[in-house]
Amino acid sequence: LIEIIFSNFFKSTLWEGVTGCSIPALLNKTSILLKFLIVKKDDQQNLPAGEDRYFKLMIDPKYGSKYVTQFLGYIKKIKAPFHDHTYDEVIYILEGEGIVHHNNSKTQIKKGSSVYLPPGTIHRLENKNKDIELQLLGVFCPAGSPADKDEK
Protein backbone atom coordinates (compact mmCIF):
# COMPACT_ATOMS: atom_id res chain seq x y z
CA LEU A 1 0.00 0.00 0.00
CA ILE A 2 2.72 2.50 0.93
CA GLU A 3 4.62 1.64 -2.26
CA ILE A 4 1.48 2.44 -4.30
CA ILE A 5 0.95 5.74 -2.47
CA PHE A 6 4.50 6.89 -3.16
CA SER A 7 4.43 5.67 -6.74
CA ASN A 8 1.31 7.73 -7.35
CA PHE A 9 2.72 10.64 -5.33
CA PHE A 10 5.76 10.99 -7.56
CA LYS A 11 3.79 10.50 -10.80
CA SER A 12 1.13 13.04 -9.83
CA THR A 13 0.93 16.19 -11.94
CA LEU A 14 -0.07 18.03 -8.76
CA TRP A 15 3.62 18.17 -7.88
CA GLU A 16 4.79 19.64 -11.21
CA GLY A 17 6.33 23.07 -10.70
CA VAL A 18 6.70 22.75 -6.93
CA THR A 19 10.27 23.63 -6.02
CA GLY A 20 12.29 20.46 -5.61
CA CYS A 21 9.31 18.21 -6.36
CA SER A 22 8.79 18.26 -10.11
CA ILE A 23 9.28 14.92 -11.81
CA PRO A 24 12.25 16.18 -13.89
CA ALA A 25 13.89 17.52 -10.71
CA LEU A 26 13.39 14.17 -9.00
CA LEU A 27 14.76 12.23 -11.97
CA ASN A 28 17.85 14.45 -12.12
CA LYS A 29 18.59 13.73 -8.47
CA THR A 30 17.94 9.99 -8.34
CA SER A 31 21.37 9.28 -6.91
CA ILE A 32 20.38 11.30 -3.84
CA LEU A 33 16.77 10.09 -3.61
CA LEU A 34 17.30 6.40 -4.22
CA LYS A 35 19.45 5.62 -1.21
CA PHE A 36 17.79 2.45 0.06
CA LEU A 37 16.39 2.76 3.56
CA ILE A 38 13.85 1.05 5.80
CA VAL A 39 12.52 2.87 8.85
CA LYS A 40 10.35 1.02 11.39
CA LYS A 41 7.46 2.76 13.13
CA ASP A 42 8.28 1.19 16.49
CA ASP A 43 11.81 2.63 16.35
CA GLN A 44 10.59 6.21 15.95
CA GLN A 45 9.97 8.60 18.82
CA ASN A 46 6.47 9.94 19.61
CA LEU A 47 6.63 13.70 19.08
CA PRO A 48 3.97 15.91 20.67
CA ALA A 49 1.64 17.84 18.36
CA GLY A 50 -0.64 19.34 21.00
CA GLU A 51 -3.09 17.95 23.51
CA ASP A 52 -4.02 14.32 22.68
CA ARG A 53 -2.09 14.39 19.38
CA TYR A 54 1.35 13.17 18.38
CA PHE A 55 3.31 12.14 15.32
CA LYS A 56 6.29 9.99 14.34
CA LEU A 57 8.72 11.14 11.68
CA MET A 58 9.39 8.25 9.33
CA ILE A 59 11.40 9.73 6.44
CA ASP A 60 12.80 13.25 6.59
CA PRO A 61 16.03 15.19 5.97
CA LYS A 62 17.86 13.45 8.84
CA TYR A 63 17.68 10.29 6.68
CA GLY A 64 18.88 12.13 3.57
CA SER A 65 15.49 13.01 2.05
CA LYS A 66 15.78 16.52 0.66
CA TYR A 67 12.43 16.61 -1.11
CA VAL A 68 9.76 14.86 0.99
CA THR A 69 8.90 14.13 4.59
CA GLN A 70 6.71 11.21 5.63
CA PHE A 71 5.10 10.99 9.05
CA LEU A 72 2.52 9.01 10.98
CA GLY A 73 -0.04 11.13 12.82
CA TYR A 74 -2.29 10.16 15.71
CA ILE A 75 -5.32 12.13 16.93
CA LYS A 76 -6.93 10.67 20.03
CA LYS A 77 -9.98 12.61 21.17
CA ILE A 78 -9.98 16.19 19.98
CA LYS A 79 -9.64 18.40 16.95
CA ALA A 80 -6.31 19.79 15.89
CA PRO A 81 -6.30 23.61 15.86
CA PHE A 82 -6.87 25.38 12.54
CA HIS A 83 -3.56 25.90 10.77
CA ASP A 84 -1.91 26.07 7.37
CA HIS A 85 1.46 25.14 5.90
CA THR A 86 3.80 26.56 3.29
CA TYR A 87 4.10 23.11 1.68
CA ASP A 88 1.90 20.60 -0.18
CA GLU A 89 0.52 17.97 2.18
CA VAL A 90 -1.06 14.61 1.34
CA ILE A 91 -2.82 12.64 4.08
CA TYR A 92 -3.98 9.01 3.91
CA ILE A 93 -6.26 7.73 6.69
CA LEU A 94 -4.96 4.42 8.04
CA GLU A 95 -7.48 3.88 10.85
CA GLY A 96 -10.55 5.56 12.26
CA GLU A 97 -12.92 8.17 10.93
CA GLY A 98 -13.21 11.88 11.25
CA ILE A 99 -13.75 15.21 9.59
CA VAL A 100 -11.31 17.41 7.72
CA HIS A 101 -12.23 21.06 8.15
CA HIS A 102 -10.82 23.03 5.22
CA ASN A 103 -11.39 26.67 4.36
CA ASN A 104 -15.11 27.00 5.24
CA SER A 105 -16.10 23.38 4.53
CA LYS A 106 -16.23 20.02 6.32
CA THR A 107 -15.59 16.68 4.63
CA GLN A 108 -16.01 13.22 6.17
CA ILE A 109 -12.89 11.04 6.11
CA LYS A 110 -12.38 7.42 7.09
CA LYS A 111 -9.94 4.54 6.66
CA GLY A 112 -8.91 4.52 3.01
CA SER A 113 -9.53 8.26 2.39
CA SER A 114 -6.78 10.36 0.85
CA VAL A 115 -6.65 14.16 1.22
CA TYR A 116 -4.58 16.69 -0.74
CA LEU A 117 -3.95 20.07 0.94
CA PRO A 118 -2.28 22.72 -1.24
CA PRO A 119 0.01 25.27 0.46
CA GLY A 120 -1.92 27.91 2.40
CA THR A 121 -5.06 25.76 2.90
CA ILE A 122 -6.43 26.50 6.36
CA HIS A 123 -7.45 23.14 7.82
CA ARG A 124 -7.71 20.87 10.82
CA LEU A 125 -8.52 17.21 11.38
CA GLU A 126 -11.09 15.98 13.87
CA ASN A 127 -11.47 12.48 15.27
CA LYS A 128 -15.17 11.51 15.34
CA ASN A 129 -14.75 8.45 17.57
CA LYS A 130 -13.32 9.07 21.04
CA ASP A 131 -12.73 5.32 21.51
CA ILE A 132 -10.59 4.80 18.38
CA GLU A 133 -7.50 6.85 17.59
CA LEU A 134 -7.51 8.52 14.15
CA GLN A 135 -4.29 7.34 12.47
CA LEU A 136 -2.88 8.86 9.30
CA LEU A 137 0.07 8.68 6.98
CA GLY A 138 1.19 12.12 5.90
CA VAL A 139 3.61 13.21 3.20
CA PHE A 140 4.67 16.72 2.38
CA CYS A 141 6.97 18.48 -0.01
CA PRO A 142 9.42 20.11 0.28
CA ALA A 143 10.86 18.24 3.25
CA GLY A 144 10.66 19.68 6.75
CA SER A 145 8.76 19.17 9.99
CA PRO A 146 5.01 18.57 10.50
CA ALA A 147 5.36 20.98 13.43
CA ASP A 148 6.12 23.85 11.00
CA LYS A 149 2.68 25.38 10.82
CA ASP A 150 0.94 28.68 11.28
CA GLU A 151 -1.91 28.17 13.75
CA LYS A 152 -4.97 30.33 13.17
Side-chain angles (χ1 to χ4, degrees):
L1 175 63
I2 292 172
E3 182 179 20
I4 292 168
I5 291 169
F6 277 98
S7 174
N8 290 334
F9 173 80
F10 286 117
K11 290 178 186 173
S12 171
T13 57
L14 294 173
W15 300 101
E16 287 293 335
V18 177
T19 303
C21 288
S22 69
I23 291 172
L26 288 169
L27 293 175
N28 288 336
K29 296 171 176 51
T30 53
S31 62
I32 294 169
L33 284 175
L34 297 180
K35 179 180 175 184
F36 184 79
L37 177 67
I38 294 176
V39 177
K40 296 180 181 177
K41 169 179 83 167
D42 294 339
D43 294 339
Q44 302 310 304
Q45 179 182 6
N46 290 349
L47 301 170
E51 187 180 336
D52 274 348
R53 296 182 318 279
Y54 64 98
F55 65 95
K56 293 180 179 237
L57 286 173
M58 299 302 291
I59 303 294
D60 70 341
K62 79 177 179 186
Y63 290 110
S65 175
K66 293 184 178 184
Y67 304 101
V68 296
T69 293
Q70 178 190 52
F71 66 96
L72 293 170
Y74 303 88
I75 302 172
K76 292 183 179 186
K77 298 180 182 176
I78 61 172
K79 304 172 190 173
F82 278 108
H83 63 281
D84 67 356
H85 306 280
T86 58
Y87 48 73
D88 287 280
E89 183 173 22
V90 178
I91 297 169
Y92 181 80
I93 305 302
L94 297 168
E95 194 65 47
E97 59 182 281
I99 299 170
V100 61
H101 300 256
H102 52 98
N103 300 324
N104 292 317
S105 300
K106 296 179 187 179
T107 304
Q108 300 280 329
I109 53 175
K110 63 181 182 177
K111 182 178 180 176
S113 299
S114 191
V115 179
Y116 168 66
L117 298 163
T121 302
I122 297 171
H123 66 281
R124 72 175 173 190
L125 297 179
E126 176 182 354
N127 184 355
K128 285 181 56 177
N129 186 335
K130 295 179 181 180
D131 297 324
I132 299 174
E133 197 170 60
L134 183 64
Q135 298 178 28
L136 60 97
L137 173 67
V139 177
F140 58 86
C141 181
S145 169
D148 291 341
K149 60 187 174 192
D150 184 17
E151 290 190 5
K152 304 295 180 194

